[in-house]
Amino acid sequence: MSLKPIINSGQNDGNNTQSFTTESIANRMLYDTLQTRALVNKGKKVIKDPYGIIPNGIYKVFKLEKNVKLASIITCLVFFFLSLIATILFATTPQLFLSNTSNQKIKWGWYIIPSVIMLLSAYTTIIELIELIGISKSVVVYRDSIKMGAISTPPFITLLYRKLILKQVRRTWLVVAILFYVGLFTLTFWALKDVKWRQLDFKTWIHSSFPNPNLVVYILCGLMSAVLISYIAFTIFRKKRTIDIQSFFGTEVMDYNELQEKKSKAHRFYAKIFFLSILLLLLLPFIIYIIVKKIRRSK
């Protein structure tokens, strides 16, 4: 006697069962797809969630971002402590840096660069540490959401993709501003270091603040070169991260038209700030001249 399929007479129960089965299969197929789509080429090591819950590709994005934040924190701390050590040596043992050791002290100009580096390093370390903690919390939250049956793209990925795109805009204009203003200062400093014009004795002022003005020029040129090389390297690395996210999540990450509009607005915003700063810089000598003239008239 052959076995025949059992047909349920309740139409609603049959539809519910069929709907539940179809949804379960679809969810399972989507999860399996996410689980097997790792952002690695064939032959490379697959980065897996130690708990075996988060799909490989998504966990690789989380892991990469955590490594980036850790590397940034370590780098900033190295620069911070090197600048701190240099500042302490300037104050305690100036003979290490001066040829003439007859009770001379390091000029105040020597402290500018290490002080700026310490401030920027401390600020960046705090920001990166906060973001690292946020990534760790996002991993825990996403792992819990998968346990509850949710397999959609985690909000962290969407925010990360948008942040990478907009951060590239900010970094571009920051580098433009650094190269422009530091380059302008370096050129002006080099041109005035041996100039004495009437009451303006730039030579005395500069040489009294900086024992070796040529060394300052070389340091500033090296700093601009390092900024440019770092910008190119980080731009390539950031581009790779965005391509990895696009190749794994596709159109689930972001509305690209909306993101392109935000990117264009960000470019216009930072361009306005940059050119307004240049305009202010051009007007500054006239403002100073007017103020000095009024002070002379009042006297």
Side-chain angles (χ1 to χ4, degrees), residues 152-179:
S152 59
T153 303
F156 169 80
I157 301 298
T158 302
L159 295 175
L160 172 63
Y161 186 81
R162 182 173 60 188
K163 182 179 178 181
L164 289 174
I165 297 299
L166 297 181
K167 181 182 286 188
Q168 182 62 35
V169 177
R170 291 195 300 270
R171 294 290 171 85
T172 298
W173 284 103
L174 178 61
V175 170
V176 170
I178 290 175
L179 294 180

PDB file of all heavy atoms in Angstrom, residues 152-179:
ATOM      1  N   SER A 152      19.212  41.140   9.582  1.00  0.00           N
ATOM      2  CA  SER A 152      19.376  42.306   8.726  1.00  0.00           C
ATOM      3  C   SER A 152      20.753  42.936   8.952  1.00  0.00           C
ATOM      4  O   SER A 152      21.465  42.588   9.900  1.00  0.00           O
ATOM      5  CB  SER A 152      18.276  43.324   9.007  1.00  0.00           C
ATOM      6  OG  SER A 152      18.321  43.717  10.371  1.00  0.00           O
ATOM      7  N   THR A 153      21.108  43.875   8.090  1.00  0.00           N
ATOM      8  CA  THR A 153      22.387  44.561   8.209  1.00  0.00           C
ATOM      9  C   THR A 153      22.434  45.357   9.505  1.00  0.00           C
ATOM     10  O   THR A 153      21.524  46.127   9.796  1.00  0.00           O
ATOM     11  CB  THR A 153      22.593  45.518   7.021  1.00  0.00           C
ATOM     12  OG1 THR A 153      22.511  44.777   5.809  1.00  0.00           O
ATOM     13  CG2 THR A 153      23.951  46.204   7.111  1.00  0.00           C
ATOM     14  N   PRO A 154      23.466  45.188  10.316  1.00  0.00           N
ATOM     15  CA  PRO A 154      23.541  45.938  11.577  1.00  0.00           C
ATOM     16  C   PRO A 154      23.657  47.426  11.316  1.00  0.00           C
ATOM     17  O   PRO A 154      24.300  47.855  10.349  1.00  0.00           O
ATOM     18  CB  PRO A 154      24.808  45.391  12.244  1.00  0.00           C
ATOM     19  CG  PRO A 154      25.614  44.815  11.133  1.00  0.00           C
ATOM     20  CD  PRO A 154      24.641  44.309  10.125  1.00  0.00           C
ATOM     21  N   PRO A 155      23.052  48.270  12.157  1.00  0.00           N
ATOM     22  CA  PRO A 155      23.125  49.724  11.964  1.00  0.00           C
ATOM     23  C   PRO A 155      24.559  50.237  11.945  1.00  0.00           C
ATOM     24  O   PRO A 155      24.852  51.238  11.291  1.00  0.00           O
ATOM     25  CB  PRO A 155      22.341  50.279  13.164  1.00  0.00           C
ATOM     26  CG  PRO A 155      21.453  49.163  13.594  1.00  0.00           C
ATOM     27  CD  PRO A 155      22.204  47.907  13.299  1.00  0.00           C
ATOM     28  N   PHE A 156      25.455  49.558  12.640  1.00  0.00           N
ATOM     29  CA  PHE A 156      26.854  49.986  12.684  1.00  0.00           C
ATOM     30  C   PHE A 156      27.455  50.043  11.292  1.00  0.00           C
ATOM     31  O   PHE A 156      28.246  50.945  10.983  1.00  0.00           O
ATOM     32  CB  PHE A 156      27.652  49.030  13.572  1.00  0.00           C
ATOM     33  CG  PHE A 156      29.141  49.225  13.479  1.00  0.00           C
ATOM     34  CD1 PHE A 156      29.765  50.246  14.166  1.00  0.00           C
ATOM     35  CD2 PHE A 156      29.925  48.393  12.683  1.00  0.00           C
ATOM     36  CE1 PHE A 156      31.135  50.433  14.076  1.00  0.00           C
ATOM     37  CE2 PHE A 156      31.289  48.572  12.588  1.00  0.00           C
ATOM     38  CZ  PHE A 156      31.899  49.595  13.290  1.00  0.00           C
ATOM     39  N   ILE A 157      27.102  49.082  10.431  1.00  0.00           N
ATOM     40  CA  ILE A 157      27.682  49.028   9.090  1.00  0.00           C
ATOM     41  C   ILE A 157      27.235  50.229   8.268  1.00  0.00           C
ATOM     42  O   ILE A 157      28.035  50.867   7.570  1.00  0.00           O
ATOM     43  CB  ILE A 157      27.283  47.719   8.388  1.00  0.00           C
ATOM     44  CG1 ILE A 157      27.756  46.505   9.208  1.00  0.00           C
ATOM     45  CG2 ILE A 157      27.842  47.672   6.985  1.00  0.00           C
ATOM     46  CD1 ILE A 157      29.243  46.426   9.376  1.00  0.00           C
ATOM     47  N   THR A 158      25.952  50.567   8.364  1.00  0.00           N
ATOM     48  CA  THR A 158      25.442  51.731   7.635  1.00  0.00           C
ATOM     49  C   THR A 158      26.112  53.012   8.099  1.00  0.00           C
ATOM     50  O   THR A 158      26.537  53.849   7.296  1.00  0.00           O
ATOM     51  CB  THR A 158      23.922  51.833   7.816  1.00  0.00           C
ATOM     52  OG1 THR A 158      23.302  50.627   7.358  1.00  0.00           O
ATOM     53  CG2 THR A 158      23.364  53.008   7.044  1.00  0.00           C
ATOM     54  N   LEU A 159      26.218  53.170   9.416  1.00  0.00           N
ATOM     55  CA  LEU A 159      26.863  54.362   9.972  1.00  0.00           C
ATOM     56  C   LEU A 159      28.344  54.401   9.606  1.00  0.00           C
ATOM     57  O   LEU A 159      28.887  55.469   9.326  1.00  0.00           O
ATOM     58  CB  LEU A 159      26.694  54.383  11.492  1.00  0.00           C
ATOM     59  CG  LEU A 159      25.261  54.531  12.012  1.00  0.00           C
ATOM     60  CD1 LEU A 159      25.228  54.406  13.532  1.00  0.00           C
ATOM     61  CD2 LEU A 159      24.671  55.863  11.575  1.00  0.00           C
ATOM     62  N   LEU A 160      28.984  53.236   9.603  1.00  0.00           N
ATOM     63  CA  LEU A 160      30.403  53.172   9.270  1.00  0.00           C
ATOM     64  C   LEU A 160      30.636  53.583   7.822  1.00  0.00           C
ATOM     65  O   LEU A 160      31.550  54.373   7.536  1.00  0.00           O
ATOM     66  CB  LEU A 160      30.929  51.758   9.495  1.00  0.00           C
ATOM     67  CG  LEU A 160      32.361  51.485   9.011  1.00  0.00           C
ATOM     68  CD1 LEU A 160      33.361  52.344   9.770  1.00  0.00           C
ATOM     69  CD2 LEU A 160      32.708  50.008   9.149  1.00  0.00           C
ATOM     70  N   TYR A 161      29.818  53.090   6.916  1.00  0.00           N
ATOM     71  CA  TYR A 161      29.991  53.425   5.506  1.00  0.00           C
ATOM     72  C   TYR A 161      29.813  54.923   5.269  1.00  0.00           C
ATOM     73  O   TYR A 161      30.618  55.561   4.579  1.00  0.00           O
ATOM     74  CB  TYR A 161      28.989  52.637   4.661  1.00  0.00           C
ATOM     75  CG  TYR A 161      29.181  52.802   3.184  1.00  0.00           C
ATOM     76  CD1 TYR A 161      30.154  52.077   2.503  1.00  0.00           C
ATOM     77  CD2 TYR A 161      28.402  53.699   2.464  1.00  0.00           C
ATOM     78  CE1 TYR A 161      30.340  52.242   1.140  1.00  0.00           C
ATOM     79  CE2 TYR A 161      28.586  53.865   1.101  1.00  0.00           C
ATOM     80  CZ  TYR A 161      29.554  53.133   0.451  1.00  0.00           C
ATOM     81  OH  TYR A 161      29.745  53.296  -0.897  1.00  0.00           O
ATOM     82  N   ARG A 162      28.763  55.491   5.858  1.00  0.00           N
ATOM     83  CA  ARG A 162      28.535  56.928   5.714  1.00  0.00           C
ATOM     84  C   ARG A 162      29.670  57.732   6.342  1.00  0.00           C
ATOM     85  O   ARG A 162      30.114  58.742   5.787  1.00  0.00           O
ATOM     86  CB  ARG A 162      27.204  57.309   6.367  1.00  0.00           C
ATOM     87  CG  ARG A 162      26.850  58.786   6.239  1.00  0.00           C
ATOM     88  CD  ARG A 162      25.466  59.043   6.739  1.00  0.00           C
ATOM     89  NE  ARG A 162      25.327  58.664   8.134  1.00  0.00           N
ATOM     90  CZ  ARG A 162      24.164  58.653   8.785  1.00  0.00           C
ATOM     91  NH1 ARG A 162      23.044  58.966   8.155  1.00  0.00           N
ATOM     92  NH2 ARG A 162      24.119  58.301  10.054  1.00  0.00           N
ATOM     93  N   LYS A 163      30.152  57.257   7.484  1.00  0.00           N
ATOM     94  CA  LYS A 163      31.242  57.947   8.168  1.00  0.00           C
ATOM     95  C   LYS A 163      32.521  57.914   7.342  1.00  0.00           C
ATOM     96  O   LYS A 163      33.254  58.911   7.277  1.00  0.00           O
ATOM     97  CB  LYS A 163      31.480  57.299   9.533  1.00  0.00           C
ATOM     98  CG  LYS A 163      32.566  57.962  10.356  1.00  0.00           C
ATOM     99  CD  LYS A 163      32.704  57.272  11.696  1.00  0.00           C
ATOM    100  CE  LYS A 163      33.834  57.902  12.510  1.00  0.00           C
ATOM    101  NZ  LYS A 163      34.008  57.236  13.823  1.00  0.00           N
ATOM    102  N   LEU A 164      32.821  56.781   6.711  1.00  0.00           N
ATOM    103  CA  LEU A 164      34.034  56.675   5.892  1.00  0.00           C
ATOM    104  C   LEU A 164      33.990  57.642   4.710  1.00  0.00           C
ATOM    105  O   LEU A 164      34.988  58.288   4.380  1.00  0.00           O
ATOM    106  CB  LEU A 164      34.210  55.243   5.390  1.00  0.00           C
ATOM    107  CG  LEU A 164      34.610  54.193   6.431  1.00  0.00           C
ATOM    108  CD1 LEU A 164      34.604  52.802   5.804  1.00  0.00           C
ATOM    109  CD2 LEU A 164      35.980  54.497   7.014  1.00  0.00           C
ATOM    110  N   ILE A 165      32.823  57.760   4.081  1.00  0.00           N
ATOM    111  CA  ILE A 165      32.693  58.644   2.930  1.00  0.00           C
ATOM    112  C   ILE A 165      32.846  60.101   3.345  1.00  0.00           C
ATOM    113  O   ILE A 165      33.593  60.876   2.742  1.00  0.00           O
ATOM    114  CB  ILE A 165      31.344  58.425   2.232  1.00  0.00           C
ATOM    115  CG1 ILE A 165      31.245  56.984   1.686  1.00  0.00           C
ATOM    116  CG2 ILE A 165      31.159  59.433   1.108  1.00  0.00           C
ATOM    117  CD1 ILE A 165      32.285  56.640   0.655  1.00  0.00           C
ATOM    118  N   LEU A 166      32.126  60.494   4.415  1.00  0.00           N
ATOM    119  CA  LEU A 166      32.182  61.891   4.854  1.00  0.00           C
ATOM    120  C   LEU A 166      33.524  62.228   5.503  1.00  0.00           C
ATOM    121  O   LEU A 166      33.985  63.370   5.403  1.00  0.00           O
ATOM    122  CB  LEU A 166      31.033  62.175   5.827  1.00  0.00           C
ATOM    123  CG  LEU A 166      29.628  62.016   5.238  1.00  0.00           C
ATOM    124  CD1 LEU A 166      28.571  62.332   6.284  1.00  0.00           C
ATOM    125  CD2 LEU A 166      29.455  62.912   4.011  1.00  0.00           C
ATOM    126  N   LYS A 167      34.149  61.246   6.159  1.00  0.00           N
ATOM    127  CA  LYS A 167      35.473  61.494   6.745  1.00  0.00           C
ATOM    128  C   LYS A 167      36.498  61.767   5.646  1.00  0.00           C
ATOM    129  O   LYS A 167      37.409  62.589   5.837  1.00  0.00           O
ATOM    130  CB  LYS A 167      35.911  60.291   7.582  1.00  0.00           C
ATOM    131  CG  LYS A 167      37.270  60.493   8.247  1.00  0.00           C
ATOM    132  CD  LYS A 167      37.693  59.270   9.034  1.00  0.00           C
ATOM    133  CE  LYS A 167      36.909  59.143  10.314  1.00  0.00           C
ATOM    134  NZ  LYS A 167      37.447  58.047  11.181  1.00  0.00           N
ATOM    135  N   GLN A 168      36.368  61.106   4.512  1.00  0.00           N
ATOM    136  CA  GLN A 168      37.282  61.361   3.406  1.00  0.00           C
ATOM    137  C   GLN A 168      37.177  62.809   2.934  1.00  0.00           C
ATOM    138  O   GLN A 168      38.192  63.443   2.605  1.00  0.00           O
ATOM    139  CB  GLN A 168      36.975  60.405   2.248  1.00  0.00           C
ATOM    140  CG  GLN A 168      37.895  60.554   1.051  1.00  0.00           C
ATOM    141  CD  GLN A 168      39.340  60.244   1.392  1.00  0.00           C
ATOM    142  OE1 GLN A 168      39.628  59.375   2.202  1.00  0.00           O
ATOM    143  NE2 GLN A 168      40.262  60.968   0.775  1.00  0.00           N
ATOM    144  N   VAL A 169      35.960  63.347   2.942  1.00  0.00           N
ATOM    145  CA  VAL A 169      35.773  64.752   2.553  1.00  0.00           C
ATOM    146  C   VAL A 169      36.462  65.677   3.560  1.00  0.00           C
ATOM    147  O   VAL A 169      37.192  66.603   3.182  1.00  0.00           O
ATOM    148  CB  VAL A 169      34.268  65.088   2.463  1.00  0.00           C
ATOM    149  CG1 VAL A 169      34.075  66.564   2.132  1.00  0.00           C
ATOM    150  CG2 VAL A 169      33.601  64.222   1.405  1.00  0.00           C
ATOM    151  N   ARG A 170      36.237  65.401   4.857  1.00  0.00           N
ATOM    152  CA  ARG A 170      36.856  66.241   5.891  1.00  0.00           C
ATOM    153  C   ARG A 170      38.378  66.160   5.829  1.00  0.00           C
ATOM    154  O   ARG A 170      39.068  67.181   5.936  1.00  0.00           O
ATOM    155  CB  ARG A 170      36.371  65.816   7.284  1.00  0.00           C
ATOM    156  CG  ARG A 170      34.925  66.122   7.546  1.00  0.00           C
ATOM    157  CD  ARG A 170      34.625  66.023   9.030  1.00  0.00           C
ATOM    158  NE  ARG A 170      34.904  64.696   9.558  1.00  0.00           N
ATOM    159  CZ  ARG A 170      34.007  63.726   9.597  1.00  0.00           C
ATOM    160  NH1 ARG A 170      32.791  63.909   9.120  1.00  0.00           N
ATOM    161  NH2 ARG A 170      34.325  62.540  10.112  1.00  0.00           N
ATOM    162  N   ARG A 171      38.913  64.947   5.667  1.00  0.00           N
ATOM    163  CA  ARG A 171      40.369  64.791   5.628  1.00  0.00           C
ATOM    164  C   ARG A 171      40.965  65.487   4.400  1.00  0.00           C
ATOM    165  O   ARG A 171      42.071  66.040   4.472  1.00  0.00           O
ATOM    166  CB  ARG A 171      40.721  63.302   5.618  1.00  0.00           C
ATOM    167  CG  ARG A 171      40.351  62.579   6.893  1.00  0.00           C
ATOM    168  CD  ARG A 171      41.237  62.999   8.049  1.00  0.00           C
ATOM    169  NE  ARG A 171      40.778  62.481   9.324  1.00  0.00           N
ATOM    170  CZ  ARG A 171      41.065  61.292   9.812  1.00  0.00           C
ATOM    171  NH1 ARG A 171      41.804  60.460   9.086  1.00  0.00           N
ATOM    172  NH2 ARG A 171      40.617  60.909  10.996  1.00  0.00           N
ATOM    173  N   THR A 172      40.255  65.454   3.290  1.00  0.00           N
ATOM    174  CA  THR A 172      40.756  66.109   2.084  1.00  0.00           C
ATOM    175  C   THR A 172      40.933  67.608   2.307  1.00  0.00           C
ATOM    176  O   THR A 172      41.995  68.182   2.016  1.00  0.00           O
ATOM    177  CB  THR A 172      39.809  65.868   0.904  1.00  0.00           C
ATOM    178  OG1 THR A 172      39.735  64.453   0.635  1.00  0.00           O
ATOM    179  CG2 THR A 172      40.291  66.590  -0.347  1.00  0.00           C
ATOM    180  N   TRP A 173      39.906  68.246   2.851  1.00  0.00           N
ATOM    181  CA  TRP A 173      39.992  69.691   3.068  1.00  0.00           C
ATOM    182  C   TRP A 173      40.932  70.034   4.216  1.00  0.00           C
ATOM    183  O   TRP A 173      41.563  71.102   4.214  1.00  0.00           O
ATOM    184  CB  TRP A 173      38.598  70.264   3.307  1.00  0.00           C
ATOM    185  CG  TRP A 173      37.819  70.371   2.043  1.00  0.00           C
ATOM    186  CD1 TRP A 173      36.823  69.546   1.608  1.00  0.00           C
ATOM    187  CD2 TRP A 173      38.009  71.338   1.008  1.00  0.00           C
ATOM    188  NE1 TRP A 173      36.366  69.939   0.377  1.00  0.00           N
ATOM    189  CE2 TRP A 173      37.072  71.049  -0.014  1.00  0.00           C
ATOM    190  CE3 TRP A 173      38.855  72.423   0.845  1.00  0.00           C
ATOM    191  CZ2 TRP A 173      36.985  71.806  -1.176  1.00  0.00           C
ATOM    192  CZ3 TRP A 173      38.766  73.190  -0.309  1.00  0.00           C
ATOM    193  CH2 TRP A 173      37.838  72.883  -1.300  1.00  0.00           C
ATOM    194  N   LEU A 174      41.057  69.138   5.194  1.00  0.00           N
ATOM    195  CA  LEU A 174      42.019  69.374   6.271  1.00  0.00           C
ATOM    196  C   LEU A 174      43.443  69.357   5.720  1.00  0.00           C
ATOM    197  O   LEU A 174      44.274  70.221   6.073  1.00  0.00           O
ATOM    198  CB  LEU A 174      41.858  68.314   7.357  1.00  0.00           C
ATOM    199  CG  LEU A 174      42.845  68.399   8.531  1.00  0.00           C
ATOM    200  CD1 LEU A 174      42.693  69.718   9.273  1.00  0.00           C
ATOM    201  CD2 LEU A 174      42.642  67.220   9.476  1.00  0.00           C
ATOM    202  N   VAL A 175      43.734  68.389   4.852  1.00  0.00           N
ATOM    203  CA  VAL A 175      45.068  68.311   4.259  1.00  0.00           C
ATOM    204  C   VAL A 175      45.331  69.525   3.366  1.00  0.00           C
ATOM    205  O   VAL A 175      46.429  70.087   3.364  1.00  0.00           O
ATOM    206  CB  VAL A 175      45.215  66.995   3.460  1.00  0.00           C
ATOM    207  CG1 VAL A 175      46.497  67.000   2.635  1.00  0.00           C
ATOM    208  CG2 VAL A 175      45.224  65.803   4.411  1.00  0.00           C
ATOM    209  N   VAL A 176      44.319  69.937   2.615  1.00  0.00           N
ATOM    210  CA  VAL A 176      44.465  71.136   1.786  1.00  0.00           C
ATOM    211  C   VAL A 176      44.800  72.349   2.652  1.00  0.00           C
ATOM    212  O   VAL A 176      45.698  73.143   2.329  1.00  0.00           O
ATOM    213  CB  VAL A 176      43.180  71.384   0.975  1.00  0.00           C
ATOM    214  CG1 VAL A 176      43.223  72.761   0.297  1.00  0.00           C
ATOM    215  CG2 VAL A 176      43.004  70.300  -0.085  1.00  0.00           C
ATOM    216  N   ALA A 177      44.084  72.496   3.776  1.00  0.00           N
ATOM    217  CA  ALA A 177      44.333  73.626   4.668  1.00  0.00           C
ATOM    218  C   ALA A 177      45.727  73.555   5.296  1.00  0.00           C
ATOM    219  O   ALA A 177      46.435  74.568   5.384  1.00  0.00           O
ATOM    220  CB  ALA A 177      43.264  73.671   5.765  1.00  0.00           C
ATOM    221  N   ILE A 178      46.131  72.344   5.721  1.00  0.00           N
ATOM    222  CA  ILE A 178      47.458  72.191   6.344  1.00  0.00           C
ATOM    223  C   ILE A 178      48.562  72.535   5.351  1.00  0.00           C
ATOM    224  O   ILE A 178      49.488  73.302   5.654  1.00  0.00           O
ATOM    225  CB  ILE A 178      47.634  70.758   6.884  1.00  0.00           C
ATOM    226  CG1 ILE A 178      46.732  70.535   8.102  1.00  0.00           C
ATOM    227  CG2 ILE A 178      49.092  70.511   7.270  1.00  0.00           C
ATOM    228  CD1 ILE A 178      46.749  69.113   8.616  1.00  0.00           C
ATOM    229  N   LEU A 179      48.463  71.982   4.149  1.00  0.00           N
ATOM    230  CA  LEU A 179      49.499  72.248   3.157  1.00  0.00           C
ATOM    231  C   LEU A 179      49.533  73.720   2.770  1.00  0.00           C
ATOM    232  O   LEU A 179      50.617  74.305   2.568  1.00  0.00           O
ATOM    233  CB  LEU A 179      49.263  71.376   1.920  1.00  0.00           C
ATOM    234  CG  LEU A 179      49.408  69.869   2.113  1.00  0.00           C
ATOM    235  CD1 LEU A 179      49.139  69.134   0.813  1.00  0.00           C
ATOM    236  CD2 LEU A 179      50.796  69.515   2.632  1.00  0.00           C
TER     237      LEU A 179
END
